[in-house]
Amino acid sequence: MSRFFTTGSDSESESSLSGEELVTKPVGGNYGKQPLLLSEDEEDTKRVVRSAKDKRFEELTNLIRTIRNAMKIRDVTKCLEEFELLGKAYGKAKSIVDKEGVPRFYIRILADLEDYLNELWEDKEGKKKMNKNNAKALSTLRQKIRKYNRDFESHITNYKQNPEQSADEDAEKNEEDSEGSSDGDEDGVSAAAFLKKKSEAPSGESRKFLKKMEDEDEDSEDSEEDEEWDTGSASSDSDSEEEEGKQTVLASKFLKKAPATEEEKKAAEKKREDKAKKKHDRKSKRLDEEEEDNEGGEWERVRGGVPLVKKPKMFAKGTEITHAVVIKKLNEILQARGKKGTDRASQIELLQLLVQIASENNLGEGVAIKIKFNIIASLYDYNPNLATYMKPEMWQKCLDCINELMDILFANPNIFVGENILEESENLHNVDQPLRVRGCILTLVERMDEEFTKIMQNTDPHSQEYVEHLKDEAQVCAIIERVQHYLEEKGTTEEICRVYLRRILHTYYKFDYKAHQRQLTLPEGSSKSDQDQAENEGEDSALLMERLCKYIYAKDRTDRIRTCAILCHIYHHALHSRWYQARDLMLMSHLQDNIQHADPPVQILYNRTMVQLGICAFRQGLTKDAHNALLDIQSSGRAKELLGQGLLLRSLQERNQEQEKVERRRQVPFHLHINLELLECVYLVSAMLLEIPYMAAHESDARRRMISKQFHHQLRVGERQPLLGPPESMREHVVAASKAMKMGDWKTCHSFIINEKMNGKVWDLFPEADKVRTMLVRKIQEESLRTYLFTYSSVYDSISMETLSDMFELDLPTVHSIISKMIINEELMASLDQPTQTVVMHRTEPTAQQNLALQLAEKLGSLVENNERVFDHKQGTYGGYFRDQKDGYRKNEGYMRRGGYRQQQSQTAY
Amino acid sequence: MASRKEGTGPATTSSSSATGAAGKGKGKGGAGDSAVKQVQIDGLVVLKIIKHYQEEGQGTEVVQGVLLGLVVEDRLEITNCFPFPQHTEDDADFDEVQYQMEMMRSLRHVNIDHLHVGWYQSTYYGSFVTRALLDSQFSYQHAIEESVVLIYDPIKTAQGSLSLKAYRLTPKLMEVCKEKDFSPEALKKGSITFEHMFEEVPIVIKNSHLINVLMWELEKKSAVADKHELLSLASSNHLGKTLQLLMDRVDEMSQDIVKYNTYMRNTSKQQQQKHQYQQRRQQENMQRQSRGEPPLPEEDLSKLFKPPQPPARMDSLLIAGQINTYCQNIKEFTAQNLGKLFMAQALQEYNS
């Protein structure tokens, strides 16, 4: 079973594909263990054997060994510890001991230990030499063992009477230590060799035993396999045949079966037929009749000359090659799937061979489709690892296979394919009723699409290889389109939504140059464009998107598909400069509110959409909207990550390998990327157009806020430069332009923003570059004018609008409107003198000094207030009285202050 | 300008433009009980300080050095000085004391007065009233009673008049500093306000007669244009900067007051609690008495109600002092500038 198919529905369909229930079960059972390594399989069997007896006994013997070691070095403390452990371990092993009887070696250690302790006890001199701990341990241990041994009295006496025999018994058990055992009982402090052997023996034995079991297992497996192969001997035969002619297989395919292999085949088939005959007599008889009906099958490969030659023969033995046989075989192959050691490549080839056989025998489309499904599935299975991607040849094979499958499906509208069709209710050959095959073409195609993305993700985007792969995109699209057509007829709405989404995902990011061209030419000559339209493919991508998305909006019940569709729709609108539609859709969808709950890929899509929206707004000259749309992405400083266009280099602590892998899988393929430099440039330029006039207007305002932090950051970086050369990078250009704009020097600003370098880097990336450039120039002129007025209005008493329009190369009405707007918004304290076309400044803006003084006054006011509060505390209950006074004072002060300001103003005005 | 004219010290024989005497009339004439009533600075010292700043200090960085001299009657004569090296991070183990001692020893060998009579420091727009200055001046004055700190303002000097002032801590402040208690009560007891923290000592710049003669000669030779900076009418930059600094200090002051305010509130709240507690206690005791039970044992109230830590007032005093300095500066500056403006007006009228 595939480990890749994680979603329930997929695995379901797969399992049902793999055959009848009886067959599926063992496969499913194996599935759990399959991911284990081969060596682990061995351990598996080991565990089974050991679990009962040997495990416990090994534990015991290990303990015994340490006790013996401790005895040898007279470490009684250690002995005591180990003895206690031994007692516990024995307790654990109790159940086995009950069954098997008390093990010899256990009795022996007990006996030996007691002897040893008694010996030590009697040895007064030795005891004196002992350290305190040991002496203490000795007495405790002696008492304990005496008590403990009471339970085993009979065994021990038995043993003591007949140590040889018992040793022999042991020897029987552990062949190896037969010599050691005799030494062993003579004195406790026996040879180490013995101990070692003793302890090793059981494990050795068990190992041996295991081996045996394993062999047996293998044998049984083999026999099972044999049986399997027997039942369907054809497969083993074809297997061997394949081994012989592995190279010829491909060739033979092209040759449409060389006669030589044909011979072999026949033999194989004969063999198989014989076997099958016995088993599927009854079934085959029934099938037989149907087969004749199926002979009109249209599978392409069959059409060669060879099958025709073969046909008569097949008919002669037609009773043998039946659907049941083929399906049985198919199930066999599928059973091997996912198992360790199955050669996935050979499996695919096997399946392909099976298709050929089926087609040669005219088993009909039902079987062919079923096998094809499985071929594609095994192609997907080919890579055991999620991270790796399909090899090109595999990929090609997969595409071909799906195409063939689609061919069949289109050619036979009476075939029903669906994942909801149960295995039992499959109808592969009964032509009277519509054919029913379990399997989901949509899932396969979706999987194919994912594989394609994976391939693109894993190819170096700057290599020729990438271009080669990208060429397959058309094929992928074609397949999706075909599936779409197919499902539109047969699929459920849910499926249609899914396939529409696939289609949308392959459409939304592509700029429709044809439609664009058409739009451009439309006003000039409509007749010609009509012709063009006829020539062009039927549908505008805009219309297509509209149609698909609307269907999804209406019919989809899963939120995710709809969200994706909306985002793609917005993206598409934005890409084609339909700003208002895009904006309205975005606002209507309310996605901003809950997008943070979506899964990362959708979030990435959302970010991409927002960015595209911002860029679209910029192209339309809506700098503010552009800035707002891009603010979130840009301000974080990790646009790259947010757009899924690359991983940021971060320390490994923040992200472990697993996470990195997941993130890597989320990356958007290179051909969908949004140019980051373009993005940043658009952001910075719109920030410049907003920020510079704002800065000029609020130069001395203490509460001035930054519109764009990032832009300020860039400015600061520019200021910090010790040596200011001509700008190199895009950022430096923007910074230089900003500086020029600050002075109201629009020409310099213009030359910094639009020049060869910037064209190459940024502006030429827009589909309508010239339009954007003219828009930009105008914006720069306007904003420079505003900045100029803000900055230098204090210098002028009045200024002629004509002069301004000359300076900024804007026509008079524009200048007039800009200035009027500024006056209305109270940004510029001035009035327009209509007859002379001049702006008369009112000179009410305080100068820098006055501003400072005002601020100081404000601060002092708060200081005084704070101070008075302290005073209030001192006064305590009398506060009320003083407060009145204070209020009066404050009022007075406020009046004074304002009065002073007025005075200052009038002073400067003159 | 005006101050320059007033400030010609009695002992100076000349007031050359380069080392324009800047004895301040504003310094408290009755510098008081301290023996030193006047600081007499050698021209050499002034030049050395200026040179030190020009070579090493820039922007907000300050330069510092040691003054050497001797006390004659009620006069502190500063006859020489040497600079401190600028601190950098990489020579953190530089031993200042060692350096000073060695420097002084070496200077003694060449027969220079080696009495350590104080130190000098440059300033940025007159912002020198800081804790650091207070601490070091305290330690100087603690060791050598006569020592003063010379504050050199390079920016004012660049505008045409030498700005060099001598300060020392008032005896009152010395006392408070000695006790290291800056609580409100202590300051109140010491009756210290920001006006009484530092006292200015009048300065006299003294040159040898030969130098004076040379100055006269140079004066004659120098072009008029060299002295023009004094007449510059531009004022906005300097004034703006000072205002900005003043504002910053006012902000700090505000914060300080808020802090103090919170302290006050806390104290009064606690007082109230304490009072309530006592009352309750008393009531209970009364009840107990009526029931014939023994009264509750007395408890230590100070343990129950720990008074909140009073904020140190020294900082706010310093800030106030600094604000005062700024205000003086602004007053002085604006007065001068107004004078200049009126002069310019008169000139214009005369010309037209």
Side-chain angles (χ1 to χ4, degrees), chain A residues 351-364:
Chain A
L351 282 169
Q352 272 171 346
L353 220 63
L354 198 65
V355 165
Q356 276 172 11
I357 293 165
S359 66
E360 277 155 20
N361 290 307
N362 267 331
L363 291 188

Side-chain angles (χ1 to χ4, degrees), chain A residues 772-789:
Chain A
V772 173
R773 275 191 281 261
T774 40
M775 178 280 295
L776 208 53
V777 174
R778 199 184 155 79
K779 276 276 165 195
I780 288 172
Q781 286 169 337
E782 285 175 13
E783 294 303 329
S784 299
L785 169 62
R786 275 163 54 82
T787 314
Y788 185 83
L789 284 176

Side-chain angles (χ1 to χ4, degrees), chain A residues 522-539:
Chain A
L522 201 64
E524 289 152 30
S526 53
S527 61
K528 201 183 157 199
S529 69
D530 277 344
Q531 243 181 5
D532 280 346
Q533 213 152 0
E535 279 170 24
N536 285 338
E537 22 86 88
E539 212 169 11

Side-chain angles (χ1 to χ4, degrees), chain A residues 848-857 859-860 862-874, chain B residues 188 235-237 239-241 243-244 246-248 250-251 253-254 257-258 260-261 264-265 268 323:
Chain A
Q849 251 65 249
Q850 287 166 350
N851 253 324
L852 280 174
L854 283 174
Q855 281 174 38
L856 179 62
K859 285 189 174 159
L860 285 175
S862 68
L863 180 66
V864 168
E865 221 166 273
N866 280 331
N867 220 359
E868 273 163 12
R869 245 178 248 147
V870 175
F871 192 58
D872 275 356
H873 266 293
K874 287 240 162 90
Chain B
K188 208 168 169 186
S235 61
S236 59
N237 199 16
L239 198 57
K241 269 271 170 33
L243 273 175
Q244 210 103 51
L246 177 57
M247 249 185 286
D248 292 348
V250 169
D251 276 346
M253 188 67 154
S254 248
I257 286 181
V258 169
Y260 188 68
N261 213 354
M264 296 270 284
R265 207 171 316 131
S268 69
I323 289 176

Side-chain angles (χ1 to χ4, degrees), chain A residues 10 67 173 321 352 360 446 617 648 650 721 818:
Chain A
D10 284 357
I67 290 178
K173 263 192 172 172
I321 297 190
Q352 272 171 346
E360 277 155 20
E446 278 177 347
L648 287 184
R650 276 184 296 174
Q721 221 90 81
I818 290 173

Side-chain angles (χ1 to χ4, degrees), chain A residues 433-617:
Chain A
Q433 291 156 17
L435 290 173
R436 294 161 69 83
V437 179
R438 187 186 166 90
C440 184
I441 181 79
L442 180 58
T443 317
L444 291 182
V445 170
E446 278 177 347
R447 182 70 207 263
M448 173 199 73
D449 196 28
E450 273 156 32
E451 285 294 338
F452 178 69
T453 317
K454 233 190 289 177
I455 289 174
M456 296 320 274
Q457 277 171 356
N458 283 293
T459 317
D460 174 18
H462 303 293
S463 64
Q464 191 59 31
E465 205 186 341
Y466 194 86
V467 181
E468 289 302 321
H469 284 312
L470 199 54
K471 283 177 188 163
D472 288 339
E473 213 258 341
Q475 238 174 316
V476 172
C477 287
I479 288 175
I480 290 175
E481 214 177 320
R482 291 183 74 181
V483 173
Q484 180 199 333
H485 287 311
Y486 180 75
L487 287 176
E488 269 168 6
E489 286 168 31
K490 300 223 173 132
T492 59
T493 47
E494 205 179 312
E495 281 173 326
I496 294 176
C497 284
R498 268 164 71 191
V499 77
Y500 275 5
L501 182 65
R502 284 287 149 188
R503 185 85 195 276
I504 288 168
L505 286 175
H506 275 278
T507 316
Y508 79 96
Y509 64 89
K510 290 174 189 156
F511 188 76
D512 193 348
Y513 280 97
K514 281 180 189 161
H516 183 59
Q517 222 70 53
R518 237 175 290 147
Q519 224 171 18
L520 288 183
T521 50
L522 201 64
E524 289 152 30
S526 53
S527 61
K528 201 183 157 199
S529 69
D530 277 344
Q531 243 181 5
D532 280 346
Q533 213 152 0
E535 279 170 24
N536 285 338
E537 22 86 88
E539 212 169 11
D540 240 4
S541 70
L543 293 177
L544 178 73
M545 286 295 287
E546 189 87 11
R547 188 169 61 80
L548 299 181
C549 289
K550 280 203 171 141
Y551 185 85
I552 290 180
Y553 300 155
K555 297 282 168 66
D556 177 57
R557 279 193 305 271
T558 65
D559 226 22
R560 192 176 183 276
I561 291 181
R562 190 172 39 229
T563 309
C564 286
I566 291 175
L567 288 173
C568 291
H569 202 178
I570 295 167
Y571 189 101
H572 194 258
H573 276 317
L575 192 65
H576 293 85
S577 302
R578 293 188 291 273
W579 156 251
Y580 289 104
Q581 279 117 300
R583 187 200 58 184
D584 292 347
L585 201 54
M586 180 54 103
L587 291 178
M588 276 193 298
S589 66
H590 290 290
L591 278 175
Q592 297 96 316
D593 309 333
N594 47 22
I595 193 68
Q596 64 268 25
H597 304 304
D599 48 353
V602 178
Q603 285 190 18
I604 286 174
L605 185 61
Y606 173 79
N607 290 338
R608 284 166 55 76
T609 306
M610 278 315 274
V611 166
Q612 197 58 248
L613 206 59
I615 293 174
C616 172

